[in-house]
Amino acid sequence: MTDQTTIQLHALKLSCSNCSLRELCLPVGLNREEMTQLDAVIRQSRRIKRGEYLFRSGEGFKSMFAVRTGFFKTCVSSQDGREQVTGFLMSGELMGLDGISSNIHGCDAIALEDSEVCELPFGRIESLGRDIPSLQHHFFRLMSREIVRDQNVMLLLGNMKAEERLAAFLLNLSQRLAIRGFAANDFILRMSREEIGSFLGLKLETVSRTLSKFQQQGWIRVDHKHIQLVKPEELKALISGCVHSNAAE
Amino acid sequence: MTDQTTIQLHALKLSCSNCSLRELCLPVGLNREEMTQLDAVIRQSRRIKRGEYLFRSGEGFKSMFAVRTGFFKTCVSSQDGREQVTGFLMSGELMGLDGISSNIHGCDAIALEDSEVCELPFGRIESLGRDIPSLQHHFFRLMSREIVRDQNVMLLLGNMKAEERLAAFLLNLSQRLAIRGFAANDFILRMSREEIGSFLGLKLETVSRTLSKFQQQGWIRVDHKHIQLVKPEELKALISGCVHSNAAE
DNA sequence: ATTCCGCTTTGACAAGAGTCAAGCTTCGAT
DNA sequence: ATCGAAGCTTGACTCTTGTCAAAGCGGAAT
């Protein structure tokens, strides 16, 4: 096998056309030729180690990033060190959309496990969108979906009690994992209790206590970061009436 | 003056080209010809009486709306009647961006005073964006700005105490009024204490008490819906350290 | 001008979540 | 394998905010 072939195979492996996430990510609904055009614009996969920053608030914005493998958090930090986690992102999800408005990233993106991302240069996606209406349309939809997700988080933070927040959080994770073909009721948390708390507007002790309470009631099993949903229907019952069932994306 | 002239003048008066909000709203950065193209797409001003719904969650989405005059709230309602106000909108601001993702409106938009809106049919804006890159770009920026705004609200709801939330809210209103040429430190609230509370994740009694507390400290004057900021710097001091000074848009 | 309804204010009390602290477990580094 | 640091759990207590209730006020409609 020549170096040339190796490179080609490598490029192929990393292309959108060949990506298992293409039905979740940006290329939804593109035909073969359009996909090739998109491939030409997207920068090859980049590896980010656990704990590393993908970008930081205040840095110049040029690109968005799609999670290919791994897990990220995004957060806004205040001057005095308080941090608000604004989201947890898994494969196929986009980060950095908030940078478009001012050409400056508005939040930090930090890998919670060793991860790979695809870089989507905004300017090139934007101009490609003019040639490929379905790409433009889907990109609008993705931005809108982020707005809907944020509104649901606002509802969670504004209206719900600790138990309801935790239930909504667990069910949301469960649902997103299921979409990606993972077990819906048996998973490993990639984030700490403190990070969960920051996202949900709770202190880490409250998160811990509430998980313990769910376990005592036999609704879930907790073994550190390993969570099993034993009676997800009970969790659903907790949040029914809060909203149309799915808070947070 | 013939009927013909009257109609023309009327159309002119209602066009983007002639609108005093064109530097705040969608047409930012368009040249004369582009503005004319945009004018052709935007539906003439529509009047909405106080208390009326502009659109409701669950309705089919076809258009966004820009506030021309007046004041709106957007809110998500839960099955059991709880409501979360997700935003208050004044002239030049856009509503309905959350409908793009699913072609269904994700929230209610309700006029808080007699208002006028411009209807922006999404499909036509989208295709016009392909011909006018600066329109497309600005529309992306507006959607991104909405995401940034929502993230700031998340931070407010997740991290701040009642006093901090109220201070951020008053300063945010003040700033947006100032941009529009109104007095920054002397204004009329268009919404009830309950609506403020819903937006800020507080009960109306807490809103009322906190306003009274601010007044007792001599920082503001409250006469029902009439608010004067006497010492805005004290309010700013309250939230310094919470974030880069401006929560909520 | 009057009446009534809805909004607001204020108080007293309750409850949910935060704070502080101690001890434990696990995982990673050496 | 051992040690240490970080993360997690749990308890006791505090404090902020929510809940319930009553009274005042203003504005809109007649």
Side-chain angles (χ1 to χ4, degrees):
Chain A
M1 189 183 276
T2 67
D3 278 5
Q4 188 73 343
T5 352
T6 316
I7 288 164
Q8 281 174 351
L9 278 176
H10 189 63
L12 186 66
K13 180 162 169 277
L14 291 176
S15 72
C16 287
S17 337
N18 222 36
C19 179
S20 63
L21 297 168
R22 64 182 179 279
E23 291 308 318
L24 277 175
C25 189
L26 187 58
V28 171
L30 301 191
N31 65 31
R32 198 148 201 82
E33 189 198 325
E34 292 165 346
M35 197 89 77
T36 308
Q37 288 180 272
L38 182 60
D39 278 335
V41 156
I42 290 182
R43 291 261 288 274
Q44 296 197 353
S45 202
R46 181 169 140 196
R47 287 168 197 283
I48 309 288
K49 285 234 174 64
R50 176 178 170 175
E52 275 183 20
Y53 283 73
L54 174 59
F55 54 79
R56 288 172 193 264
S57 178
E59 285 178 4
F61 165 83
K62 279 201 298 253
S63 298
M64 301 148 305
F65 296 89
V67 182
R68 188 183 184 77
T69 62
F71 204 81
F72 282 81
K73 69 170 176 181
T74 53
C75 50
V76 187
S77 297
S78 59
Q79 296 160 345
D80 57 353
R82 282 190 282 185
E83 83 168 24
Q84 170 76 28
V85 173
T86 53
F88 296 110
L89 295 105
M90 48 180 79
S91 54
E93 296 177 334
L94 257 51
M95 294 175 281
L97 297 177
D98 55 314
I100 297 170
S101 67
S102 57
N103 277 316
I104 290 172
H105 280 293
C107 62
D108 301 328
I110 299 161
L112 295 182
E113 58 180 358
D114 294 355
S115 302
E116 287 177 90
V117 297
C118 299
E119 181 173 351
L120 318 175
F122 174 64
R124 304 188 66 177
I125 298 286
E126 197 180 15
S127 52
L128 193 56
R130 274 175 237 130
D131 300 330
I132 311 178
S134 64
L135 176 67
Q136 187 199 36
H137 185 70
H138 190 62
F139 188 59
F140 278 127
R141 288 183 45 151
L142 289 176
M143 293 197 71
S144 174
R145 190 191 295 175
E146 176 68 24
I147 293 171
V148 172
R149 189 194 74 91
D150 291 347
Q151 286 182 349
N152 283 327
V153 176
M154 287 168 59
L155 188 122
L156 177 143
L157 293 172
N159 268 312
M160 291 163 72
K161 298 200 179 302
E163 291 192 1
E164 297 170 327
R165 294 183 197 191
L166 241 312
F169 172 74
L170 292 174
L171 290 169
N172 173 257
L173 272 188
S174 167
Q175 184 197 334
R176 286 155 68 202
L177 287 167
I179 289 172
R180 286 159 180 81
F182 297 107
N185 298 322
D186 190 319
F187 48 86
I188 306 293
L189 296 176
R190 303 300 175 179
M191 70 295 280
S192 70
R193 302 289 191 263
E194 186 168 18
E195 287 162 334
I196 296 173
S198 171
F199 180 60
L200 297 178
L202 302 170
K203 294 296 167 187
L204 69 94
E205 294 93 332
T206 305
V207 173
S208 179
R209 270 188 253 273
T210 307
L211 288 175
S212 299
K213 196 183 299 178
F214 285 169
Q215 177 163 236
Q216 277 164 29
Q217 299 190 271
W219 296 352
I220 68 176
R221 282 198 48 72
V222 184
D223 178 27
H224 306 281
K225 307 231 164 182
H226 180 194
I227 302 282
Q228 295 175 65
L229 307 188
V230 180
K231 295 185 181 172
E233 66 280 5
E234 294 286 349
L235 297 176
K236 279 172 198 153
L238 251 188
I239 61 170
S240 75
C242 294
V243 69
H244 349 68
S245 82
N246 59 335
E249 192 154 20
Chain B
M1 189 183 277
T2 66
D3 278 5
Q4 189 72 345
T5 351
T6 316
I7 287 164
Q8 281 173 352
L9 277 176
H10 189 63
L12 185 68
K13 178 162 170 276
L14 292 176
S15 72
C16 287
S17 339
N18 221 38
C19 179
S20 62
L21 298 168
R22 65 182 176 280
E23 290 309 317
L24 276 175
C25 190
L26 187 58
V28 170
L30 301 191
N31 65 31
R32 198 148 200 82
E33 190 198 326
E34 292 165 345
M35 197 88 79
T36 309
Q37 289 180 271
L38 182 60
D39 278 336
V41 155
I42 289 180
R43 292 260 288 273
Q44 296 198 351
S45 202
R46 181 170 140 195
R47 287 169 196 282
I48 308 287
K49 285 233 172 66
R50 175 178 171 178
E52 274 183 18
Y53 283 72
L54 175 59
F55 54 78
R56 288 172 193 264
S57 177
E59 284 179 4
F61 165 83
K62 279 201 298 251
S63 298
M64 301 147 306
F65 297 89
V67 182
R68 188 183 185 76
T69 62
F71 203 82
F72 282 81
K73 69 171 176 181
T74 53
C75 50
V76 187
S77 297
S78 59
Q79 297 159 346
D80 57 351
R82 283 189 281 186
E83 82 167 25
Q84 170 75 31
V85 173
T86 54
F88 295 110
L89 295 105
M90 47 180 79
S91 54
E93 297 177 332
L94 257 49
M95 295 175 281
L97 297 177
D98 55 314
I100 298 171
S101 68
S102 58
N103 276 315
I104 291 172
H105 281 292
C107 63
D108 301 328
I110 300 160
L112 295 182
E113 60 181 358
D114 294 355
S115 303
E116 288 177 89
V117 297
C118 299
E119 181 173 351
L120 318 175
F122 175 64
R124 303 188 67 176
I125 298 286
E126 197 181 15
S127 51
L128 193 57
R130 274 175 236 131
D131 300 330
I132 310 177
S134 64
L135 176 66
Q136 187 200 34
H137 186 71
H138 190 63
F139 189 59
F140 278 127
R141 289 183 45 151
L142 288 176
M143 292 197 72
S144 175
R145 190 192 294 174
E146 175 68 24
I147 293 171
V148 172
R149 189 194 74 91
D150 290 347
Q151 285 181 350
N152 283 327
V153 175
M154 285 167 59
L155 188 122
L156 176 144
L157 293 172
N159 268 312
M160 292 164 70
K161 297 199 181 300
E163 290 192 1
E164 297 170 327
R165 295 183 198 191
L166 241 313
F169 171 74
L170 292 173
L171 290 170
N172 173 256
L173 272 187
S174 166
Q175 183 196 335
R176 285 156 68 201
L177 288 167
I179 290 173
R180 286 161 181 79
F182 297 106
N185 298 322
D186 190 318
F187 49 87
I188 306 293
L189 296 176
R190 301 302 175 177
M191 71 296 280
S192 69
R193 303 290 191 264
E194 186 169 17
E195 287 162 334
I196 297 173
S198 170
F199 180 60
L200 297 177
L202 302 169
K203 294 295 166 186
L204 70 96
E205 294 93 334
T206 305
V207 172
S208 178
R209 269 186 253 273
T210 307
L211 288 175
S212 299
K213 197 184 297 178
F214 285 169
Q215 178 163 237
Q216 278 164 27
Q217 298 189 272
W219 297 352
I220 68 176
R221 283 199 48 73
V222 184
D223 177 27
H224 307 280
K225 308 232 163 183
H226 180 194
I227 302 283
Q228 295 175 66
L229 307 188
V230 181
K231 297 186 181 172
E233 66 281 4
E234 295 286 350
L235 297 176
K236 279 172 197 152
L238 249 188
I239 60 170
S240 77
C242 294
V243 69
H244 348 68
S245 82
N246 60 335
E249 191 154 20

